[in-house]
Amino acid sequence: MTDGVPTWETIARDYGRFLYNVAYRLAGNDDDAQDLAQEALLRVRRGLERYEPRSLEGWLARIVTNVFLDEMRRRRRRPTDALPDDADRVLPTSPAADVATSGFSDEVQSALAGLPEEFRVAVVLCDVADLQYHEIAEATGVPVGTVRSRIHRGRQLLRAELVGVER
Amino acid sequence: MSFDDATLEALGAYLDDELDDRERAEIETQLAQSDALRAELRAIEEVRTAVRALPIREAPTSFLDSVLGAGAGEETPAAESVPSVDELAGRRRAGKQSRSWRAMSALAGAAAASIVILAALFPSESTVRTPLASMVRAHAAGASGASGGADPVSVLAPVAQPVKFGR
């Protein structure tokens, strides 16, 4: 670490788990989460010399969010890419991972995955990455008021979906 | 009773501790006067808790290895030990190919585990949906290691108090 800036290896080792978890909650499956997290780490490496020590998690969340949004845009341009192209895209990675997300967590994850992207990003950055509204605004390039509105709308949609699960 | 979007957005921001002093005072006054608004607050809190209680999604053990290479886990922060972007991309492609094989074996394991777990959890054909609130509570308790904390919203009545969450 020099001048408060961690090395890339330190970030990968210490924050890889954080990046992967956020990527998983955005993407909704392990394979895409691995791709997103790896691409995010590549961008971290390229951008590390420009990093100004502040909230490292906020910076990392901003990068993985941008990777996610770039990927969604790419898939909209080439919709066939959204289809499963290998077995593990639609299969659990391991029995342990399957058990870890069983039950109500699956319902929550499913509802989360069903949210429009802008609401999903806002909710994930708030409730999974634990960022403050101003950090989410910085990460997504929208005003704080928009972040507040998106989190509210996202939670409303989740609530409607989860109440449906209850019935 | 229904509330306007601005009020509901403020409720979410209140839970996230994102209101300024004036807004917080206003919303607390309204909460103290309205059972319906407190019910809304509780509903938002349930959804928020459901997402926050999602388990940390662990990356496959091979994930960081594929990024960091064989040196992962060693204290080698020297810049020259950091793989190039091209090297990382190559490892990523190689990892993607091997994941398909891992997925096949994982499927067999997952199927076996699922049978055992389902047999234990659902001995009969009937399934009973529990109310959302109790599902969220069980979900949150599981995520927090069954620490059994009280529902933070319940302490609001009759006079609202700001809810602080670890941030």
Side-chain angles (χ1 to χ4, degrees):
Chain A
M1 186 179 292
T2 56
D3 298 331
V5 179
T7 64
W8 179 83
E9 279 196 332
T10 301
I11 291 174
R13 193 174 296 130
D14 295 350
Y15 291 89
R17 187 172 185 246
F18 168 80
L19 273 176
Y20 182 83
N21 188 48
V22 173
Y24 180 82
R25 297 303 169 197
L26 289 171
N29 67 76
D30 281 307
D31 196 57
D32 285 342
Q34 287 187 58
D35 286 347
L36 292 182
Q38 288 187 10
E39 176 63 25
L41 283 169
L42 292 175
R43 293 191 191 185
V44 166
R45 186 170 185 274
R46 295 187 196 114
L48 197 53
E49 61 189 29
R50 295 189 301 277
Y51 170 68
E52 296 172 7
R54 287 192 291 178
S55 163
L56 184 56
E57 290 190 354
W59 184 59
L60 296 175
R62 176 183 194 162
I63 290 173
V64 76
T65 298
N66 285 334
V67 172
F68 169 70
L69 294 175
D70 287 349
E71 179 62 15
M72 291 299 101
R73 281 191 283 270
R74 190 183 70 80
R75 289 185 184 191
R76 275 196 292 271
R77 285 197 302 270
R78 301 171 61 185
T80 52
D81 287 356
L83 297 174
D85 58 6
D86 55 21
D88 61 338
R89 188 176 292 271
V90 292
L91 298 176
T93 301
S94 69
D98 195 33
V99 170
T101 58
S102 63
F104 191 55
S105 293
D106 276 349
E107 308 286 2
V108 177
Q109 176 58 45
S110 175
L112 201 53
L115 292 180
E117 283 160 30
E118 66 267 30
F119 300 152
R120 192 188 329 160
V121 165
V123 170
V124 166
L125 293 184
C126 180
D127 291 332
V128 176
D130 203 22
L131 300 189
Q132 294 181 319
Y133 286 11
H134 73 88
E135 293 175 303
I136 299 170
E138 194 174 315
T140 54
V142 299
V144 169
T146 304
V147 169
R148 180 159 137 173
S149 173
R150 287 180 178 179
I151 291 170
H152 165 63
R153 292 288 309 281
R155 286 174 177 163
Q156 269 193 324
L157 292 171
L158 286 174
R159 177 182 171 186
E161 189 67 26
L162 292 174
V163 167
V165 167
E166 172 192 357
R167 289 181 181 135
Chain B
M1 177 182 283
S2 62
F3 300 95
D4 59 40
D5 277 344
T7 301
L8 295 175
E9 283 179 19
L11 281 182
Y14 177 73
L15 287 170
D16 293 331
D17 197 20
E18 291 278 357
L19 295 182
D20 60 30
D21 291 345
R22 182 186 56 79
E23 286 181 306
R24 184 181 301 113
E26 283 178 9
I27 206 73
E28 287 178 353
T29 299
Q30 292 182 62
L31 282 166
Q33 296 170 348
S34 171
D35 290 342
L37 194 60
R38 285 199 297 276
E40 283 293 333
L41 182 68
R42 190 183 301 277
I44 295 169
E45 169 64 8
E46 284 174 3
V47 172
R48 182 180 183 274
T49 301
V51 178
R52 287 180 173 241
L54 282 169
I56 299 288
R57 185 69 175 192
E58 297 290 351
T61 52
S62 60
F63 170 64
L64 276 183
D65 289 349
S66 72
V67 177
L68 288 167
E74 297 174 8
E75 289 299 326
T76 53
E80 59 268 25
S81 70
V82 176
S84 71
V85 170
D86 287 343
E87 285 171 337
L88 285 170
R91 290 175 193 172
R92 188 176 162 200
R93 283 193 294 273
K96 202 164 188 173
Q97 288 169 353
S98 68
R99 285 204 297 274
S100 296
W101 289 102
R102 288 199 304 274
M104 294 302 287
S105 59
L107 175 63
S114 297
I115 290 169
V116 172
I117 291 166
L118 287 172
L121 292 177
F122 302 105
S124 69
E125 291 184 357
S126 65
T127 56
V128 178
R129 293 290 189 188
T130 57
L132 178 58
S134 63
M135 292 166 75
V136 170
R137 277 195 295 275
H139 172 65
S144 62
S147 58
D151 173 7
V153 178
S154 64
V155 303
L156 287 166
V159 177
Q161 296 292 326
V163 180
K164 301 287 187 183
F165 294 91
R167 170 168 289 178

